[in-house]
Amino acid sequence: MNGRSAMRLARLQDVLAGGGTIHLSEAAKLCGVSEMTIRRDVAASDGAMTFLGGHLMMADNPQFAPVYDLDEQQGSHYLAKQRLCQGAASFIAEGDTLFIDCGTTLMPLLGMLDEFEELTVVTYALNVANAVGSLSNVRLVLLGGLYHHSSQSFGSGEMYDAVRRLGINKAFISAAGVDLARGVSCFHFHEVAPKQAALETALYRILVVDASKLGIVRPALFAELDAFDVVVTDAKAAPRLNARVGSEHQPPRVMVA
Amino acid sequence: MNGRSAMRLARLQDVLAGGGTIHLSEAAKLCGVSEMTIRRDVAASDGAMTFLGGHLMMADNPQFAPVYDLDEQQGSHYLAKQRLCQGAASFIAEGDTLFIDCGTTLMPLLGMLDEFEELTVVTYALNVANAVGSLSNVRLVLLGGLYHHSSQSFGSGEMYDAVRRLGINKAFISAAGVDLARGVSCFHFHEVAPKQAALETALYRILVVDASKLGIVRPALFAELDAFDVVVTDAKAAPRLNARVGSEHQPPRVMVA
DNA sequence: CATCTAGTGTTATTTTTCTAACATTTTTTT
DNA sequence: AAAAAAATGTTAGAAAAATAACACTAGATG
């Protein structure tokens, strides 16, 4: 590899550093050389960059890693979540300050935020931050702390105060378990503080769960069901949630998405 | 789109929900139908999924977005940074707690961290967090706050105290300008607090800059040059840095990478 | 029961991408 | 400055993917 080749590679890698792809023809135009030269440069890049169907990208881009172990990831329900989030999104209004919980349930919601002029999102999840960080119309506040791989989120107990200092408008909370008697729960204890703080400060509290979570209790209980104003769920779970009787508390409204 | 088509799409979207790609042939095998049927399903998915060179992926994958505005990111020097970071990495020892600054200069350093058994990284940059978050051998602490698109980093003045509560071992700092008289500077004022706090608490302070920064003063001055123990730089900048005379302070050692 | 139709499979054609070979230009060496 | 080497460009052919056309199948309809 010579100097100019290295220069071109560096230039392309700069362009692609934040992820993304560039077509071979664009790359060639950008560097002012032929497509063949770009191909040769990439071949000499020692595996740093690769082509995928004519599109150039950084090889370590995790988003392009082929999925091989197919059996592993079954059981999550992308389309169901998409539908739930469509329901949840109907509560968002222009200018809102939203608290977005960690997990995968609420991820589709983030793709629906670009329809608003101006929003503020508060989160403690890395995946949420990444999705929101690319939106120019959304002000992002990330609550930091120690990173937990398991939930792709940050923080622990101290986060409680940090959340309460923020003027959160509507809180979108997800959960790993919802039990009518025991309450709402998640897997990890470090999620309890931010969730509880959000529930206390938010003006409007929205629980987003699908039917598979119903009747389940997970290690970290963080709220009673009636701590929420609305539960957004699917048709399967709605009747069981509505069947609650004799509660002296004001129950959350059940919304079927 | 019929029921079975929807089922197949949901299955594929489950598999690809966390990013990643699957080849058309694999997808066909997985669903037990022909490749043509998968193509038709995807075409009917209303833009939710796309092909890129025979590989199937979610269309809203942010990493998939082609890079068009090429002119913007010019002028940075990937290979030069790689070399600088190799020099910088030589200061890292097993078990260290590192402060990693924002910007692109130190990104190559993160790829070198997987050689250690156990490290802790403290940062306030989203791109750093993403890179480190995928390493299982590194404990990650992210300093949160308001997100700044310009530098892909979080926070402001309050961060000062947050940094000082952490036991930072070695601080790797980057800069947009280094002037022998005026000191070391960056573009954005919100970077000043974390940088200064890291300089005050860290046991060992390493400035990593290439020659293009030398003699330049940026809006936000954050330190004198002799606040650092070492300056890792390239051969072009080294002589000019070493030419300093008559300083009553202990000057930083200049390391050529 | 025959017919229709949506869904799927098969085959063929076009387009695009990939690879290899060779020609040309530029740089380095003698 | 000539020769050699390296880098780049051009062209041609092979491979792969995208598209289109047509054939088959199973459930729905009259």
Side-chain angles (χ1 to χ4, degrees):
Chain A
M1 182 162 63
N2 70 60
R4 290 192 188 161
S5 172
M7 287 274 288
R8 286 192 299 266
L9 271 177
R11 194 167 184 183
L12 292 172
Q13 286 172 336
D14 277 344
V15 169
L16 300 176
T21 68
I22 182 172
H23 193 272
L24 175 58
S25 58
E26 303 256 347
K29 244 185 288 174
L30 171 68
C31 296
V33 294
S34 70
E35 300 189 357
M36 196 64 225
T37 298
I38 299 291
R39 281 190 188 278
R40 282 193 266 248
D41 288 348
V42 171
S45 76
D46 203 28
M49 309 180 81
T50 45
F51 281 99
L52 182 61
H55 296 259
L56 186 59
M57 66 193 68
M58 299 302 290
D60 60 358
N61 193 329
Q63 300 287 4
F64 288 104
V67 176
Y68 290 123
D69 46 354
L70 299 173
D71 306 315
E72 190 183 319
Q73 297 204 34
Q74 312 288 355
S76 43
H77 309 281
Y78 184 87
L79 281 181
K81 283 167 182 170
Q82 182 95 26
R83 229 176 310 124
L84 285 185
C85 285
Q86 251 149 21
S90 65
F91 293 100
I92 302 175
E94 192 60 60
D96 270 348
T97 296
L98 312 172
F99 178 91
I100 307 280
D101 208 352
C102 64
T104 58
T105 302
L106 295 170
M107 289 304 287
L109 185 64
L110 308 175
M112 306 169 188
L113 299 183
D114 55 5
E115 292 164 22
F116 296 88
E117 288 284 320
E118 194 243 330
L119 294 171
T120 301
V121 163
V122 178
T123 188
Y124 62 111
L126 182 58
N127 50 353
V128 173
N130 280 318
V132 173
S134 60
L135 303 173
S136 58
N137 61 323
V138 181
R139 191 180 298 113
L140 167 65
V141 176
L142 179 62
L143 306 160
L146 183 64
Y147 182 66
H148 301 268
H149 286 87
S150 52
S151 57
Q152 288 191 65
S153 66
F154 297 95
S156 47
E158 336 95 39
M159 199 174 274
Y160 192 82
D161 293 327
V163 175
R164 302 207 42 154
R165 276 196 295 273
L166 299 164
I168 292 170
N169 211 327
K170 289 157 190 169
F172 291 89
I173 310 281
S174 61
V178 176
D179 184 86
L180 296 182
R182 301 293 310 281
V184 191
S185 54
C186 59
F187 281 105
H188 308 287
F189 289 97
H190 70 265
E191 299 176 24
V192 172
K195 280 180 210 273
Q196 285 185 343
L199 284 171
E200 285 188 35
T201 60
L203 298 176
Y204 204 73
R205 293 145 296 209
I206 301 142
L207 178 65
V208 185
V209 284
D210 61 272
S212 69
K213 314 288 171 59
L214 204 55
I216 288 175
V217 178
R218 296 299 183 193
L221 285 158
F222 63 88
E224 296 295 318
L225 192 55
D226 50 12
F228 294 89
D229 295 293
V230 189
V231 180
V232 178
T233 189
D234 50 50
K236 212 162 150 194
R240 292 166 67 188
L241 282 171
N242 278 321
R244 287 166 301 143
V245 287
S247 167
E248 61 265 36
H249 305 284
Q250 181 76 5
R253 182 156 75 84
V254 176
M255 176 185 177
V256 180
Chain B
M1 180 163 64
N2 70 57
R4 289 190 188 161
S5 172
M7 288 274 288
R8 287 192 298 267
L9 271 177
R11 193 168 184 182
L12 292 172
Q13 286 174 336
D14 274 346
V15 170
L16 301 176
T21 68
I22 183 171
H23 194 273
L24 175 59
S25 59
E26 303 256 346
K29 245 186 287 173
L30 173 68
C31 296
V33 294
S34 71
E35 302 190 355
M36 197 62 225
T37 298
I38 299 290
R39 280 191 188 278
R40 281 194 265 248
D41 288 349
V42 170
S45 76
D46 204 28
M49 310 180 82
T50 44
F51 281 100
L52 182 61
H55 298 259
L56 187 59
M57 66 189 67
M58 298 302 293
D60 61 357
N61 191 327
Q63 304 283 20
F64 167 64
V67 176
Y68 290 123
D69 48 353
L70 301 171
D71 305 314
E72 194 180 319
Q73 297 200 35
Q74 314 287 354
S76 36
H77 311 282
Y78 186 86
L79 282 180
K81 284 166 183 171
Q82 183 97 24
R83 229 176 309 124
L84 285 185
C85 285
Q86 251 149 20
S90 66
F91 294 100
I92 302 176
E94 193 60 60
D96 271 349
T97 296
L98 311 172
F99 178 90
I100 308 281
D101 208 351
C102 65
T104 58
T105 303
L106 295 171
M107 290 304 288
L109 185 64
L110 308 175
M112 305 169 188
L113 300 183
D114 54 5
E115 292 164 22
F116 297 88
E117 290 283 320
E118 194 244 330
L119 293 171
T120 301
V121 163
V122 179
T123 187
Y124 62 110
L126 181 57
N127 50 352
V128 173
N130 280 318
V132 173
S134 58
L135 302 173
S136 59
N137 60 325
V138 182
R139 189 179 301 114
L140 168 64
V141 176
L142 179 62
L143 307 160
L146 183 64
Y147 182 66
H148 301 267
H149 286 87
S150 52
S151 57
Q152 289 190 63
S153 65
F154 296 96
S156 47
E158 333 96 41
M159 198 173 275
Y160 191 84
D161 293 328
V163 175
R164 303 206 44 154
R165 276 195 295 273
L166 299 164
I168 293 169
N169 211 328
K170 288 156 191 169
F172 291 89
I173 309 281
S174 61
V178 176
D179 185 86
L180 297 182
R182 303 293 309 281
V184 191
S185 54
C186 58
F187 280 105
H188 308 288
F189 290 97
H190 70 266
E191 300 175 25
V192 172
K195 281 180 209 273
Q196 285 185 341
L199 283 171
E200 286 187 34
T201 60
L203 298 175
Y204 204 73
R205 293 146 297 211
I206 301 142
L207 177 65
V208 184
V209 283
D210 62 90
S212 70
K213 315 289 170 58
L214 203 56
I216 288 175
V217 178
R218 296 301 182 191
L221 285 158
F222 63 87
E224 295 295 318
L225 192 56
D226 49 11
F228 294 89
D229 295 293
V230 188
V231 179
V232 178
T233 190
D234 50 50
K236 212 161 148 195
R240 292 167 65 187
L241 282 170
N242 278 321
R244 286 166 302 144
V245 286
S247 168
E248 61 264 37
H249 307 282
Q250 183 76 7
R253 182 156 75 83
V254 176
M255 175 183 178
V256 180

XYZ file of all heavy atoms in Angstrom, chain A residues 150 175-179 182-192 195-196 213 216-223:
216
model
N -26.298 -5.982 29.779
C -27.531 -6.767 29.721
C -28.705 -5.959 29.183
O -29.518 -6.468 28.427
C -27.860 -7.285 31.109
O -27.847 -6.201 32.031
N -41.635 -2.943 30.521
C -41.462 -3.852 31.649
C -41.269 -5.274 31.154
O -41.660 -5.612 30.029
C -42.666 -3.772 32.583
N -40.657 -6.093 32.008
C -40.476 -7.500 31.663
C -41.570 -8.362 32.285
O -41.753 -9.515 31.910
C -39.102 -7.966 32.125
N -42.297 -7.789 33.247
C -43.369 -8.551 33.877
C -44.458 -7.629 34.407
O -44.168 -6.535 34.913
N -45.704 -8.063 34.254
C -46.834 -7.307 34.799
C -47.751 -8.300 35.510
O -48.272 -9.225 34.888
C -47.627 -6.579 33.684
C -48.852 -5.884 34.279
C -46.741 -5.578 32.967
N -47.886 -8.109 36.800
C -48.759 -8.992 37.573
C -49.779 -8.128 38.303
O -49.421 -7.128 38.935
C -47.924 -9.803 38.561
C -48.783 -10.811 39.307
O -48.972 -11.922 38.781
O -49.262 -10.464 40.407
N -48.863 -8.380 42.225
C -47.526 -7.999 42.674
C -47.048 -6.689 42.065
O -46.170 -6.033 42.606
C -46.512 -9.111 42.342
C -46.839 -10.476 42.969
C -46.718 -10.448 44.497
N -45.456 -9.879 44.936
C -44.295 -10.530 44.950
N -44.228 -11.774 44.530
N -43.202 -9.945 45.392
N -47.539 -6.356 40.884
C -47.131 -5.101 40.269
C -46.270 -5.298 39.031
O -46.213 -6.384 38.459
N -45.575 -4.239 38.645
C -44.802 -4.211 37.398
C -43.323 -4.392 37.726
O -42.816 -3.763 38.672
C -45.014 -2.881 36.651
C -44.442 -2.952 35.252
C -46.501 -2.546 36.596
N -42.625 -5.220 36.943
C -41.248 -5.569 37.289
C -40.347 -5.640 36.070
O -40.809 -5.734 34.934
C -41.224 -6.923 38.010
O -41.872 -7.898 37.227
N -39.043 -5.594 36.333
C -38.043 -5.746 35.278
C -36.955 -6.690 35.775
O -36.972 -7.121 36.934
C -37.469 -4.392 34.885
S -36.690 -3.503 36.247
N -35.978 -6.973 34.932
C -34.937 -7.921 35.293
C -33.876 -7.308 36.211
O -33.406 -7.930 37.146
C -34.241 -8.450 34.034
C -35.006 -9.512 33.323
C -35.667 -9.233 32.145
C -35.076 -10.799 33.831
C -36.387 -10.217 31.476
C -35.792 -11.793 33.180
C -36.447 -11.494 31.998
N -33.495 -6.061 35.926
C -32.281 -5.525 36.515
C -32.575 -4.436 37.538
O -33.361 -3.521 37.263
C -31.368 -4.985 35.429
C -31.130 -5.982 34.335
N -30.329 -7.079 34.522
C -31.608 -6.063 33.073
C -30.319 -7.791 33.405
N -31.090 -7.192 32.511
N -31.922 -4.516 38.678
C -32.215 -3.597 39.769
C -31.776 -2.168 39.468
O -32.339 -1.225 40.001
C -31.552 -4.107 41.060
C -32.224 -5.331 41.595
C -31.718 -6.592 41.328
C -33.394 -5.228 42.335
C -32.353 -7.721 41.799
C -34.037 -6.362 42.809
C -33.521 -7.615 42.536
N -30.780 -2.024 38.628
C -30.335 -0.658 38.342
C -31.358 0.118 37.523
O -31.250 1.332 37.387
C -28.982 -0.679 37.614
C -29.058 -1.181 36.214
N -28.817 -2.496 35.871
C -29.372 -0.558 35.054
C -28.962 -2.655 34.580
N -29.309 -1.492 34.056
N -32.344 -0.579 36.992
C -33.381 0.124 36.233
C -34.463 0.704 37.137
O -35.250 1.559 36.711
C -34.044 -0.835 35.230
C -33.100 -1.426 34.197
C -33.811 -2.443 33.303
O -35.039 -2.358 33.175
O -33.114 -3.332 32.758
N -34.490 0.231 38.369
C -35.582 0.612 39.264
C -35.561 2.112 39.559
O -36.596 2.794 39.466
C -35.514 -0.207 40.567
C -36.531 0.323 41.574
C -35.763 -1.678 40.276
N -36.692 4.364 36.610
C -38.117 4.138 36.320
C -38.993 4.788 37.389
O -39.968 5.496 37.077
C -38.399 2.627 36.268
C -38.009 1.940 34.968
C -38.336 0.444 35.045
C -37.425 -0.441 34.233
N -37.829 -0.632 32.844
N -38.647 4.549 38.642
C -39.456 5.107 39.722
C -39.414 6.632 39.714
O -40.439 7.301 39.901
C -38.966 4.557 41.063
C -39.386 3.119 41.298
C -38.999 2.612 42.668
O -38.145 3.206 43.335
N -39.621 1.506 43.081
N -46.016 -10.490 28.626
C -45.483 -10.083 29.922
C -46.500 -10.259 31.054
O -46.154 -10.158 32.215
C -45.060 -8.598 29.868
C -44.254 -8.200 28.658
C -42.854 -8.761 28.700
C -42.112 -8.560 27.383
N -41.978 -7.170 26.968
N -46.548 -12.259 34.804
C -45.153 -12.612 35.092
C -44.570 -11.648 36.114
O -44.853 -10.439 36.078
C -44.319 -12.593 33.788
C -44.710 -13.788 32.924
C -42.842 -12.598 34.083
C -44.059 -13.817 31.582
N -43.781 -12.188 37.021
C -43.094 -11.353 38.006
C -41.597 -11.530 37.837
O -41.094 -12.651 37.876
C -43.500 -11.729 39.450
C -42.735 -10.875 40.446
C -44.987 -11.553 39.637
N -40.883 -10.431 37.626
C -39.431 -10.461 37.461
C -38.760 -9.965 38.734
O -39.429 -9.370 39.588
C -39.029 -9.590 36.260
C -39.551 -10.096 34.923
C -39.021 -11.461 34.605
N -39.469 -11.930 33.285
C -39.354 -13.180 32.867
N -38.822 -14.098 33.674
N -39.774 -13.539 31.674
N -37.457 -10.170 38.865
C -36.778 -9.886 40.150
C -37.018 -8.475 40.680
O -37.230 -8.305 41.888
C -35.304 -10.085 39.819
C -35.274 -10.981 38.645
C -36.538 -10.758 37.887
N -36.966 -7.480 39.792
C -36.969 -6.100 40.286
C -38.340 -5.449 40.110
O -38.667 -4.920 39.044
C -35.897 -5.293 39.564
N -39.144 -5.501 41.146
C -40.447 -4.821 41.120
C -40.223 -3.323 41.256
O -39.450 -2.878 42.104
C -41.307 -5.331 42.271
C -41.916 -6.731 42.086
C -42.271 -7.337 43.425
C -43.128 -6.649 41.175
N -40.889 -2.552 40.418
C -40.652 -1.100 40.512
C -41.911 -0.261 40.623
O -41.833 0.944 40.882
C -39.786 -0.607 39.344
C -40.397 -0.765 37.977
C -41.211 0.213 37.451
C -40.133 -1.895 37.208
C -41.766 0.077 36.187
C -40.691 -2.047 35.953
C -41.501 -1.063 35.434
N -43.097 -0.832 40.449
C -44.302 -0.002 40.564
C -45.551 -0.862 40.654
O -45.578 -2.025 40.221
C -44.419 0.938 39.361
